[in-house]
Amino acid sequence: MSVDDVEKSVEDGQLTPTGEHGLEKNDGKPLKTASDGTILVPQPSDDPEEPLNWSWRKKHMAMIVLAFGTFFVKFTATIIAPGAHQLAEEFGTSPRRATYIASAASVVPAVAPFLWVPLSNRLGRRPILLVGNLMAIAFAIVVARANVYGQALACRILMAFGASVGICIGPGAISDMFFLHEKGKRMGINSFLLVCAPYLGGVAGGSIIYNNDLGWRWSMYISAILYAILVVAHFFFVPETLYHRSSFGAPKPPPPTTFVGKFCKFMGFHPPANPHNHTWLYTFTRPFAMFAYPAVVLPSLWFSIAGMTEVANTAGFPLNFGPGTRYNFNTREIGFCSFSGFIGAVAGEFFAGPLCDFVAKRGLRRQEAGGEKWRPEKMLHVLWSGVITVSAGLLLYGLELNYPSMGTRSWAPALAGILIFTFGQEILVTVIMTYMTDCYPQRAAEVSIVFQFWLNIMAYHPPFYVPQWIHSGGGAKVPYIVFAVLPIVIFPFGIGVFMWRGPQIRAKGRIVDWKKE
C-alpha cells in the first residue's frame, strides 16, 4: 500500500488498521526523507502551504501557543483551588463544598470537544480556537464578580467550556504540523504543560489569594488577562493547520467581495474543503466513531484510571494540609504544595518525549534498512517506568498522610509521593497520545476527544467522595492503596493486550464490525 492509498482511505473514513503508514515505494518514486535520512511519515506534498512543509520557526511558534492553550485550561481551574477556605467564608458554605468551584469544572473538557472538534472540522481550527478563548475571557470576568455561590460555580463551568478548545484541538493541530519522528517530543511538550498545569495553577493561586490586596477574585481576573494574551498570540502565530491534499494545484479562489468574505480573509480564516460533501450531521457524529476503535478506547480508559486522582489531589491540598490539619498550612503554603507535581512533570518530560522520538527513529531506520516494519506498539514499551512510578507515588502519598514517617509536621515524604505520581503520569500521557495519533494520524483531533472524555470523566468523581473516604475509619491509606493497585490490575486489558496482539486487533477495525469480518 502506498502513502497516498493510506491517506485516501483515512480521508474516506476507512481507517488504515496496520499502523504501517504505507512506507513502500510508489511506482519507483523514492520516498522523501529528513536531512538525517529518516523517512518522512506522513509523506508531504510539494505544496509549501501544507503545514508539514512550513518553516521550523512557523511550526514551533504555533506549537508553543497551542501548548499554552492546553496549559491554561487546567492552570485556570486550580488557580482558585487553594482559596477553598476564603471561598467558603465568602459564600457561606463549607470548605469541602467550596472546592467544587475548582473541581466541578473538571468534567467539562470531557463533553465540550463534541461541539468544538466538529465545528473546527467544518469551519477550521483557527476560528474555533479564537471563539472558545474569547468565551473563557468573558466568563472568567463574571466569576470574578460573582456574589453568590451558584453564580460562581455555573460561570466557572462555562469558562471551562470555552477554554476546552485548547485541550481538544491543540493536539490535533500539533499533529497536523509534524512528522512521526518529531511528534514524540512535541506531543511531550503539550503533555508536559497539560500535566503540570494544575500544579502550577495551585502555586500561583496560593500566592495570589494569600495576598490581601488581591484575593480569590483576582485569581479569576488574572485568568482573563492570560486568555486575552493567548487570543492575541493565536491571531498572530497560529495559522489554519487543516489541509486537504486535493486542494494542491487547484486554481486560487477569486478575492472576496462581501464584507464577511473580506473579514474572514483578514482574520486568516480558511474553511477546510469538503470534497465528499459530508453533511453537518455526519460531521457531528464522526467523533463518536473513534469510540469503536479498541486502540483508542482501551488505552484512554486505562490512563484515565491511572491518573484519576489528579483533581482529587490538587483540590484536596487545602483539606489535607490546610488549617485544622496536622500541617496547618496557610493559603500560600497550600499553594506551594503543588510544586511537588510540577517538579515531577518536569522530570517525566525529560524522560518521555525524547525517548519516544528515539524509539520512532530507530524503528524507521531499521525498516529502511530492510528490517522489521514499524509498528506503533513499539512505543508502548516506554510505559513500564510510568506504570511503576504512578502506583508507587499514590501508595507513598496515602501512607504518609496516614502514618507520617518523619514526624507529624513533616510534609516532605507525602509530597514526594505526588512528585513520583506526576513523574509517571507525564510519561504515560506522552506515550499513549503519541501511540494513538500514530495509529490514526489523520484523526488526531477525534482521538483527543476520546482521550479527554475518559480522562475528565474519571477525574471528575473522586473529589466528591475522597475527602469523606480519607476521614472514615480507615484513613487516607485505604483510598490510595485502591488507586495504586487499579492501574496494575487493569494494565493487561488496557495496554498489555496491544503489546501482545496490537496489529491484529487494529486489523479488525471497529468493534462493531468484528462479527462481520
Side-chain angles (χ1 to χ4, degrees):
M1 178 180 287
S2 70
V3 173
D4 292 337
D5 293 334
V6 172
E7 291 173 349
K8 183 178 185 302
S9 68
V10 172
E11 285 300 311
D12 290 341
Q14 301 170 352
L15 299 180
T16 173
T18 63
E20 297 169 14
H21 299 283
L23 294 178
E24 297 84 359
K25 292 185 178 181
N26 185 18
D27 299 327
K29 185 179 180 180
L31 295 172
K32 296 180 180 179
T33 63
S35 58
D36 62 356
T38 303
I39 300 173
L40 296 180
V41 179
Q43 288 281 287
S45 69
D46 296 324
D47 186 0
E49 296 301 316
E50 181 175 4
L52 290 169
N53 293 327
W54 289 350
S55 68
W56 188 96
R57 178 182 177 278
K58 186 174 182 179
K59 285 184 181 183
H60 285 81
M61 288 299 295
M63 182 205 70
I64 291 169
V65 176
L66 290 165
F68 271 100
T70 298
F71 172 81
F72 285 152
V73 177
K74 293 196 173 185
F75 178 88
T76 57
T78 58
I79 196 172
I80 200 172
H85 292 86
Q86 288 82 351
L87 289 166
E89 183 178 348
E90 175 83 23
F91 297 122
T93 188
S94 67
R96 179 173 60 83
R97 192 164 176 258
T99 62
Y100 299 161
I101 294 177
S103 63
S106 63
V107 75
V108 176
V111 295
F114 291 102
L115 172 68
W116 296 131
V117 169
L119 284 177
S120 72
N121 287 337
R122 290 299 290 267
L123 303 177
R125 304 203 196 280
R126 178 177 166 87
I128 301 305
L129 285 166
L130 292 172
V131 168
N133 290 326
L134 288 171
M135 181 177 173
I137 295 171
F139 283 106
I141 294 172
V142 177
V143 175
R145 300 179 65 85
N147 294 314
V148 295
Y149 176 82
Q151 181 186 15
L153 179 61
C155 290
R156 256 300 297 140
I157 291 172
L158 291 171
M159 174 187 168
F161 192 92
S164 294
V165 295
I167 211 169
C168 61
I169 295 178
I174 291 172
S175 182
D176 292 339
M177 297 185 290
F178 293 99
F179 299 102
L180 171 63
H181 69 281
E182 301 173 322
K183 276 185 188 176
K185 192 175 294 183
R186 278 73 182 181
M187 284 292 187
I189 293 171
N190 187 76
S191 301
F192 163 69
L193 291 176
L194 174 67
V195 171
C196 75
Y199 301 102
L200 283 181
V203 173
S207 299
I208 292 167
I209 297 169
Y210 183 75
N211 188 320
N212 292 328
D213 295 329
L214 297 176
W216 72 266
R217 294 185 186 276
W218 264 98
S219 69
M220 289 292 97
Y221 282 128
I222 289 173
S223 297
I225 293 169
L226 290 175
Y227 273 108
I229 295 171
L230 187 66
V231 166
V232 174
H234 271 300
F235 181 82
F236 286 105
F237 300 114
V238 184
E240 181 57 61
T241 64
L242 279 180
Y243 178 84
H244 288 271
R245 300 289 177 85
S246 58
S247 64
F248 176 48
K252 298 294 182 183
T257 56
T258 65
F259 172 78
V260 173
K262 292 179 180 179
F263 176 77
C264 289
K265 182 178 180 181
F266 170 76
M267 294 294 291
F269 297 160
H270 306 292
N274 185 15
H276 304 291
N277 295 318
H278 290 145
T279 64
W280 278 96
L281 178 63
Y282 172 86
T283 301
F284 274 93
T285 55
R286 185 184 180 193
F288 291 95
M290 297 309 297
F291 282 88
Y293 287 88
V296 176
V297 173
L298 294 180
S300 297
L301 181 57
W302 178 81
F303 174 77
S304 70
I305 293 171
M308 66 192 293
T309 60
E310 177 189 84
V311 178
N313 294 341
T314 53
F317 284 155
L319 306 179
N320 296 330
F321 295 90
T325 68
R326 68 164 63 96
Y327 306 102
N328 202 35
F329 284 179
N330 61 36
T331 303
R332 182 169 55 186
E333 291 169 334
I334 291 169
F336 288 163
C337 290
S338 296
F339 266 124
S340 58
F342 172 68
I343 295 169
V346 171
E349 181 48 33
F350 270 110
F351 180 83
L355 187 56
C356 285
D357 285 348
F358 171 77
V359 171
K361 284 184 177 181
R362 187 179 64 173
L364 291 172
R365 285 171 180 168
R366 284 183 175 180
Q367 174 170 320
E368 188 181 13
E372 182 184 358
K373 289 186 177 180
W374 167 257
R375 297 282 193 276
E377 283 71 25
K378 294 180 183 294
M379 198 77 69
L380 294 178
H381 293 284
V382 183
L383 289 175
W384 289 112
S385 54
V387 176
I388 294 169
T389 48
V390 159
S391 293
L394 291 172
L395 194 60
L396 177 60
Y397 183 61
L399 292 176
E400 283 293 334
L401 288 179
N402 230 106
Y403 310 112
S405 60
M406 298 175 62
T408 57
R409 288 282 296 171
S410 180
W411 46 264
L415 293 180
I418 296 295
L419 185 154
I420 296 168
F421 164 76
T422 313
F423 173 87
Q425 186 187 21
E426 173 64 22
I427 293 172
L428 297 182
V429 68
T430 298
V431 175
I432 289 175
M433 279 302 296
T434 303
Y435 167 70
M436 294 190 301
T437 55
D438 186 19
C439 288
Y440 306 115
Q442 300 297 323
R443 300 290 291 274
E446 285 83 359
V447 166
S448 180
I449 285 182
V450 178
F451 182 79
Q452 291 298 334
F453 175 82
W454 288 116
L455 173 61
N456 292 287
I457 284 290
M458 295 303 294
Y460 176 67
H461 55 82
F464 292 96
Y465 58 80
V466 168
Q468 295 91 319
W469 201 354
I470 289 175
H471 289 94
S472 65
K477 69 178 183 295
V478 176
Y480 279 96
I481 288 174
V482 172
F483 292 137
V485 169
L486 274 175
I488 298 173
V489 171
I490 302 174
F491 184 85
F493 309 100
I495 302 295
V497 66
F498 293 99
M499 291 180 171
W500 175 47
R501 302 280 290 177
Q504 291 84 352
I505 293 173
R506 288 186 288 107
K508 293 180 178 292
R510 293 178 293 182
I511 296 172
V512 293
D513 291 336
W514 283 11
K515 293 183 179 179
K516 298 179 182 179
E517 294 180 357

